[in-house]
Amino acid sequence: MKQLIMLLLIVVSTLHSSAQKPHQLVIKGRITDKETQDNLSSATITLLYAKDSSKAGLSFTNKEGFFIIDSLTPTNFILLVSFIGYEKLLYSLHASSTDTLINIGTIGIKRTGLTLTEVKIVEARIPLRISRDTMEYNANYFETKDNALVEDLFRLLPGVQIDKDGTISVNGEPVKSIMINGRPIFSGGDNRIISKNLQADLIDRVQLIDRKTNRQDFNGLSSNQPDKVINLTIKKSKQNLISGEISGAYGTANRFSTKLSLSRFKGEEQLLLLGNGDNTNGAIETQTTSVGGIQENWSGAGNYSSRINKNTTISASYIANNNISETQRNSARKNIVSDTSLLIQQKSSSNNKDRNQALTTQIEYQIDSLQNIIISNQLTLFKTDNNFTNRFNSLGNYAQVLGNGTFKTMDENNTITTFTGLNYEKKFNKNRRLLNISISYSKSVSKQIGYNISNSLYYPNSGETISDTLDQRSIINTQNEQLFVMATYTEPLHNYGAISFMIGEDRVKGSLNKTILDYNNMTKLYDKANDSLSNIFVTVPIHHYAKLNWLVKKEKFDYSVSLAALYFSMENKDNSVSNIYSTNVLALLPEATINFIPMNNRKLKFLYRKSIEFPQASQLQQTPDYSDPLNIKRGNPMLKPITFHDLQFNYNSINISTLRTLTIAASGKFIINQIINLSTFDSIGRQTTKPVNLNGNYLLELNINNYLPFKKQHFGVNLNTKGSLKRSLSVVNGKESISNQTSLTQVINFRYTRKIYECAITASINYNNLSYNNNKELKENYISSGLSLANRLNLPYGINLNSNLIVAWTTGRMEGYNGSPLMLNTSISKSIFNNRQGLIKIQGFDVLKQNISYNRIIQDNYIEDTNTNGLERFFTIGFSYFLGKNK
């Protein structure tokens, strides 16, 4: 009872204090010339709220330079001081709830260099503005190095993360597309094309947008969640200029790199031309050689868009890639078998050639002020040539040799894909009433010709030797056609809500014709038909879809609730067993989202979503696949769809004046009818897998990111903490196995940026614990950690010195896979010509000659440690010329 009384007293006192009128705050100060100390009369003093940059007050200095702003509610402010002929000044203020007076004292501001022939006014801008769905960064606020790329700018923005491979995400959510001046580039293709080629000094603002799209995905079903989109606006001073870079480098071991990047933005017209070529795994651009294998890559891309009249906008893009890679890999795979130990050691080499081209066009026609139509077309060509050779040893208990051998696969694949889509949108006179209709048709035709040659010896306990040889040619023809229709109608409710209804159908027809021919020793040809491995498989999945969604959006919160009904029917005809299998599924898929927005700089989101995923055609056909003699695969036509239950919690907070950022993301994924591999190992170590459905898998994740800036972004510390708990089930030799994996990761990044010296230090540590219920001896504990130090010294006369030191440590892995390579890359460069338009650079990579890539792969029924070859030490000299720097 006492506790209840105390609680009531606390609540009442809290309500009483909150109901009281807050203290009235007064801010005063004095403005002078920083050099002469003269008083500045009639200077403009603008007081802004830090949370959203809206105006809180306005004042002017008197003859003595004094100003005063009163009748304020205590909170965080930004003081903006402006005076003609002087640099504008931003000043952050923090007032607690008990403060009544803040005297900032005397502030001196600098002249901008007023002369008889020139007036120069330097504008100091607020670094960030926030609206409900958009965060807009002022790119000029962030100091980037000379000739920096957009990717370098992104790395400085709080909340934006870039992985080692260049993948971009915002607060942990992947970015779907990058737009320039509000227009998508390369039709939402690989975002790295923009981030790794466009010059950072072109950018005026970077807008991080939560955009609701008409994109639909029947396999996982469309969600109410918006896409993360980045929009880049171009500086007015860079309009009508041809900007970009032309560069080339050559070095030891015949290493080379070339680059062409040209862009022009002229009103409603955009033009980008990009080209790259190198055999350094992109090291000259990324300053790192950590990518496994050795690759030679050539790529080219072009994008053009323009408004040809007041109603019509056209765009076209072309992308071409040609990649050649050579990889040498060693691996040790420990299979999780309850009654025995099975270790497979492999040494493999692969040579791959991948070529692809994509041509995309889009016409957008504005019929009138309420209607528009978009017509999209795409033609894609793929061609791959792959050669893979593997030598293996399988070991049982007490290192007993169970088998060894080699196998080799060679295949060539050609694929042509066409797509045509039409999207019609009509707005009605009533505000926010909307009709959207989407229709698309796509077709893909593929032909693969391959060879599979293997020679293996197995040694069972009986003491005999079993020889297993294979020499086959395969011809696989695949064809898929898809017709998609979707209609969405949205009706506004009052002034703050809407209800929408969506119906659609997705109809697919896929066929796979697989012919296997054995080698004939008599004719020396592949002319012996192998009917047991050949097959014709036809699948016809049809989705019927309806969804009702209710959305309410108010000033401080919004929520949406939806219920989707999906009727899925699929008919599979498998000639290998002369059977027709039919599947019919009716699923109800609810989704609910709640967003709390107490302030523009703080957001809180809760999400529940049920989704469904259907088996792939390759998982359904029963014809065995012997391309890997150690792992024979069979399909299962009785597979059920996978059901996911997702729970998410997200909290985002950013201080507009200091850019301090905190992001907390927690999620749980619970899976029903998870498709896992039922594995059977025979006495000589060969594995046969068949997909089956199993319940009980889940994944829990927590991600906390905290960015702490100091002294106007010259210092910055980023703390990233991740944790996960994963439960996975598998079936091995008829026995169910449960694995529990716990992972904890801590990353600390420190950045210091000044004109003379820049450095970035990153330290990381990752702990993993892995246990299995059916084999206590296979409990795994391993730790991996790393440290990187990047330095840049900017000397007079345009001379720059760079170094990048990377070291990694691993413990707890299998013998031979706990390497600790120390990587050192260095460079010296000299800027030449006016405005530093030219650059001569000498670079050294893997100076200590220790490059090798270590990795661990964890699956439901095995653990595999690998090491992969990489580029060895090399040096290059290069020259770059930068356009568009004269203004």
Side-chain angles (χ1 to χ4, degrees):
M1 187 66 180
K2 289 183 178 180
Q3 290 85 351
L4 179 58
I5 294 173
M6 289 296 296
L7 179 60
L8 289 174
L9 289 174
I10 293 172
V11 172
V12 171
S13 62
T14 302
L15 292 174
H16 174 72
S17 62
S18 63
Q20 289 179 340
K21 185 178 180 180
H23 293 293
Q24 295 296 300
L25 175 69
V26 176
I27 297 175
K28 66 179 183 178
R30 185 185 184 190
I31 307 301
T32 65
D33 185 300
K34 190 169 186 178
E35 294 181 1
T36 66
Q37 307 302 317
D38 292 338
N39 299 326
L40 296 180
S41 174
S42 301
T44 303
I45 312 299
T46 307
L47 189 67
L48 308 173
Y49 289 112
K51 64 180 181 179
D52 57 8
S53 302
S54 61
K55 186 184 293 186
L58 181 69
S59 180
F60 300 92
T61 56
N62 60 19
K63 293 181 180 181
E64 288 76 33
F66 289 102
F67 72 89
I68 187 169
I69 304 176
D70 56 13
S71 301
L72 299 170
T73 300
T75 184
N76 294 331
F77 298 102
I78 298 174
L79 194 72
L80 175 61
V81 181
S82 58
F83 192 68
I84 295 177
Y86 288 79
E87 294 183 6
K88 289 188 177 181
L89 176 71
L90 290 172
Y91 194 90
S92 298
L93 297 173
H94 171 72
S96 66
S97 59
T98 59
D99 287 338
T100 58
L101 172 66
I102 294 180
N103 187 349
I104 64 174
T106 300
I107 298 176
I109 58 177
K110 293 181 180 180
R111 289 181 178 270
T112 57
L114 179 63
T115 67
L116 294 177
T117 58
E118 177 185 23
V119 175
K120 178 184 178 183
I121 299 177
V122 178
E123 183 180 6
R125 294 185 177 179
I126 298 170
L128 174 65
R129 295 181 185 274
I130 298 180
S131 63
R132 192 181 191 99
D133 301 319
T134 302
M135 294 175 59
E136 181 182 275
Y137 286 103
N138 174 14
N140 300 313
Y141 181 83
F142 301 90
E143 297 181 6
T144 57
K145 61 186 179 181
D146 286 341
N147 308 316
L149 300 173
V150 166
E151 182 180 67
D152 300 311
L153 174 61
F154 285 168
R155 294 184 190 278
L156 301 178
L157 304 181
V160 179
Q161 300 89 34
I162 300 181
D163 294 339
K164 291 181 179 180
D165 64 354
T167 301
I168 305 167
S169 59
V170 175
N171 294 325
E173 297 183 48
V175 173
K176 295 295 184 181
S177 66
I178 294 180
M179 301 187 295
I180 297 180
N181 291 335
R183 295 185 186 176
I185 304 298
F186 297 110
S187 299
D190 192 342
N191 295 324
R192 293 172 294 185
I193 295 177
I194 300 299
S195 63
K196 290 181 176 294
N197 288 280
L198 202 64
Q199 302 295 308
D201 65 357
L202 292 173
I203 308 305
D204 183 31
R205 293 178 177 85
V206 180
Q207 296 172 333
L208 311 180
I209 304 171
D210 292 331
R211 185 185 67 175
K212 189 64 178 177
T213 68
N214 295 319
R215 175 183 55 85
Q216 306 298 331
D217 179 8
F218 273 116
N219 198 37
L221 288 183
S222 64
S223 171
N224 297 332
Q225 300 309 301
D227 286 343
K228 286 291 183 183
V229 175
I230 294 180
N231 181 50
L232 306 174
T233 64
I234 305 300
K235 295 176 180 176
K236 292 182 179 180
S237 62
K238 296 293 183 178
Q239 297 281 350
N240 303 326
L241 288 178
I242 296 179
S243 302
E245 175 187 354
I246 302 173
S247 64
Y250 187 77
T252 59
N254 294 321
R255 298 296 169 204
F256 70 88
S257 175
T258 62
K259 181 178 180 179
L260 169 68
S261 172
L262 300 176
S263 62
R264 189 188 70 171
F265 304 93
K266 183 180 180 181
E268 297 285 346
E269 186 179 59
Q270 296 182 172
L271 175 65
L272 284 87
L273 296 174
L274 310 172
N276 295 274
D278 70 78
N279 62 355
T280 66
N281 295 3
I284 292 179
E285 288 293 319
T286 62
Q287 307 294 312
T288 179
T289 53
S290 60
V291 179
I294 300 174
Q295 300 180 16
E296 178 178 325
N297 184 71
W298 294 91
S299 62
N303 179 267
Y304 176 79
S305 65
S306 178
R307 183 180 296 276
I308 59 176
N309 58 48
K310 66 177 183 178
N311 295 328
T312 308
T313 300
I314 62 169
S315 65
S317 64
Y318 173 77
I319 300 175
N321 289 285
N322 187 356
N323 179 271
I324 302 172
S325 62
E326 298 179 4
T327 305
Q328 308 292 327
R329 194 180 80 153
N330 298 324
S331 67
R333 176 181 294 188
K334 185 186 296 184
N335 290 279
I336 313 305
V337 184
S338 59
D339 54 353
T340 185
S341 173
L342 183 58
L343 178 68
I344 298 177
Q345 299 173 330
Q346 300 181 83
K347 291 185 176 181
S348 65
S349 63
S350 61
N351 295 276
N352 303 318
K353 297 180 180 179
D354 299 311
R355 285 147 284 180
N356 63 76
Q357 302 177 72
L359 175 63
T360 304
T361 62
Q362 180 174 290
I363 300 175
E364 181 175 355
Y365 179 68
Q366 193 76 31
I367 301 173
D368 52 40
S369 61
L370 299 176
Q371 301 179 84
N372 77 296
I373 188 170
I374 300 175
I375 301 174
S376 304
N377 293 279
Q378 186 176 69
L379 172 65
T380 307
L381 307 176
F382 292 95
K383 184 174 183 181
T384 62
D385 294 285
N386 301 315
N387 292 277
F388 178 78
T389 302
N390 188 61
R391 296 175 177 84
F392 74 90
N393 288 288
S394 57
L395 306 175
N397 291 324
Y398 311 107
Q400 175 191 2
V401 178
L402 299 179
N404 52 54
T406 63
F407 59 90
K408 182 176 183 179
T409 61
M410 299 169 286
D411 64 74
E412 176 183 324
N413 186 302
N414 290 276
T415 302
I416 300 176
T417 300
T418 59
F419 170 87
T420 298
L422 182 148
N423 187 82
Y424 169 77
E425 184 176 86
K426 178 177 175 59
K427 299 177 182 178
F428 295 85
N429 289 324
K430 184 175 181 179
N431 185 31
R432 295 181 290 120
R433 180 180 289 172
L434 182 68
L435 174 66
N436 185 278
I437 299 174
S438 296
I439 303 173
S440 68
Y441 172 79
S442 63
K443 183 176 182 178
S444 176
V445 178
S446 173
K447 182 175 184 179
Q448 177 180 319
I449 299 177
Y451 297 87
N452 185 11
I453 303 170
S454 66
N455 294 281
S456 307
L457 296 174
Y458 299 97
Y459 312 100
N461 294 328
S462 61
E464 62 179 325
T465 299
I466 299 175
S467 176
D468 185 7
T469 62
L470 202 64
D471 191 354
Q472 296 175 335
R473 181 174 188 251
S474 61
I475 303 172
I476 302 174
N477 292 291
T478 305
Q479 181 170 307
N480 290 284
E481 293 181 83
Q482 181 183 32
L483 178 63
F484 169 87
V485 181
M486 172 71 73
T488 305
Y489 176 75
T490 301
E491 177 68 24
L493 297 176
H494 306 291
N495 294 322
Y496 51 83
I499 188 169
S500 62
F501 182 67
M502 182 186 302
I503 58 172
E505 181 178 285
D506 190 26
R507 186 181 295 266
V508 179
K509 181 178 181 181
S511 65
L512 185 148
N513 189 335
K514 182 178 181 180
T515 302
I516 301 296
L517 301 171
D518 292 327
Y519 184 74
N520 190 332
N521 288 314
M522 299 293 294
T523 63
K524 307 299 181 183
L525 298 172
Y526 291 93
D527 56 8
K528 294 174 62 177
N530 190 323
D531 294 333
S532 63
L533 300 181
S534 300
N535 189 26
I536 297 176
F537 183 81
V538 179
T539 179
V540 183
I542 303 175
H543 305 76
H544 301 276
Y545 180 55
K547 182 177 181 180
L548 182 66
N549 182 71
W550 179 36
L551 169 67
V552 173
K553 182 178 288 188
K554 293 192 175 183
E555 182 180 358
K556 297 298 182 181
F557 71 92
D558 62 67
Y559 62 86
S560 64
V561 179
S562 67
L563 179 64
L566 173 67
Y567 179 72
F568 171 74
S569 64
M570 182 169 62
E571 184 178 278
N572 303 317
K573 182 179 180 181
D574 194 333
N575 281 13
S576 65
V577 290
S578 300
N579 280 330
I580 296 177
Y581 297 94
S582 297
T583 301
N584 296 280
V585 177
L586 175 62
L588 297 178
L589 306 173
E591 179 175 347
T593 305
I594 303 175
N595 290 294
F596 292 101
I597 313 172
M599 300 179 184
N600 276 340
N601 60 333
R602 294 182 184 178
K603 294 183 180 180
L604 191 65
K605 180 175 78 171
F606 297 91
L607 165 70
Y608 166 74
R609 177 172 60 223
K610 179 184 177 183
S611 59
I612 194 167
E613 183 178 305
F614 298 94
Q616 301 176 5
S618 60
Q619 296 174 309
L620 298 170
Q621 59 171 324
Q622 298 186 77
T623 307
D625 180 359
Y626 288 96
S627 58
D628 181 352
L630 293 175
N631 186 14
I632 302 167
K633 299 177 182 178
R634 296 178 182 272
N636 179 5
M638 306 306 293
L639 286 176
K640 300 177 182 178
I642 310 172
T643 300
F644 299 95
H645 294 272
D646 288 295
L647 291 170
Q648 295 180 18
F649 163 82
N650 288 278
Y651 172 76
N652 297 315
S653 173
I654 185 167
N655 186 308
I656 295 178
S657 59
T658 66
L659 295 186
R660 177 169 180 170
T661 304
L662 174 63
T663 301
I664 302 174
S667 65
K669 185 183 291 288
F670 303 89
I671 309 172
I672 299 175
N673 289 326
Q674 172 74 50
I675 296 179
I676 60 100
N677 284 325
L678 187 154
S679 301
T680 303
F681 291 89
D682 60 21
S683 60
I684 52 180
R686 290 178 299 191
Q687 178 182 211
T688 301
T689 62
K690 175 184 177 180
V692 297
N693 295 108
L694 207 61
N695 294 327
N697 290 357
Y698 63 78
L699 174 63
L700 305 176
E701 293 182 301
L702 175 66
N703 189 344
I704 303 174
N705 197 79
N706 195 0
Y707 175 68
L708 307 172
F710 302 95
K711 293 191 176 181
K712 297 183 180 180
Q713 299 296 311
H714 296 312
F715 294 92
V717 177
N718 196 83
L719 305 174
N720 184 231
T721 305
K722 296 181 181 179
S724 67
L725 178 61
K726 181 180 180 182
R727 185 177 190 262
S728 302
L729 283 79
S730 60
V731 179
V732 180
N733 287 351
K735 296 182 179 180
E736 185 176 287
S737 173
I738 301 175
S739 67
N740 293 286
Q741 181 185 358
T742 302
S743 177
L744 296 172
T745 302
Q746 180 63 59
V747 180
I748 302 175
N749 177 267
F750 170 82
R751 178 178 53 81
Y752 173 77
T753 305
R754 298 294 288 181
K755 287 186 177 181
I756 296 178
Y757 177 68
E758 306 169 31
C759 85
I761 302 173
T762 301
S764 64
I765 184 168
N766 172 257
Y767 167 77
N768 279 272
N769 174 272
L770 183 64
S771 62
Y772 297 88
N773 71 318
N774 63 338
N775 195 328
K776 304 299 182 181
E777 296 180 359
L778 288 177
K779 185 175 181 179
E780 297 279 341
N781 290 281
Y782 62 94
I783 296 175
S784 60
S785 56
L787 177 67
S788 68
L789 173 61
N791 296 275
R792 178 182 173 92
L793 184 60
N794 304 312
L795 299 175
Y797 307 107
I799 298 175
N800 297 303
L801 301 177
N802 288 269
S803 67
N804 190 355
L805 183 68
I806 304 172
V807 62
W809 300 272
T810 57
T811 62
R813 295 182 180 177
M814 287 178 267
E815 185 178 354
Y817 296 90
N818 287 303
S820 301
L822 180 64
M823 298 289 298
L824 176 62
N825 303 321
T826 63
S827 71
I828 180 172
S829 61
K830 172 70 170 70
S831 297
I832 58 176
F833 305 144
N834 294 332
N835 299 316
R836 298 188 175 185
Q837 287 185 278
L839 183 72
I840 299 174
K841 180 183 284 189
I842 299 174
Q843 295 176 273
F845 297 91
D846 188 23
V847 175
L848 303 179
K849 205 174 183 180
Q850 295 189 24
N851 188 25
I852 192 168
S853 175
Y854 291 91
N855 191 30
R856 167 162 279 199
I857 303 170
I858 299 177
Q859 295 294 334
D860 296 339
N861 60 351
Y862 71 82
I863 303 170
E864 184 174 50
D865 290 330
T866 66
N867 63 52
T868 308
N869 70 314
L871 289 172
E872 296 183 350
R873 180 172 56 199
F874 68 97
F875 299 87
T876 64
I877 182 170
F879 173 75
S880 300
Y881 186 80
F882 301 93
L883 295 88
K885 299 191 65 175
N886 56 319
K887 292 187 179 181

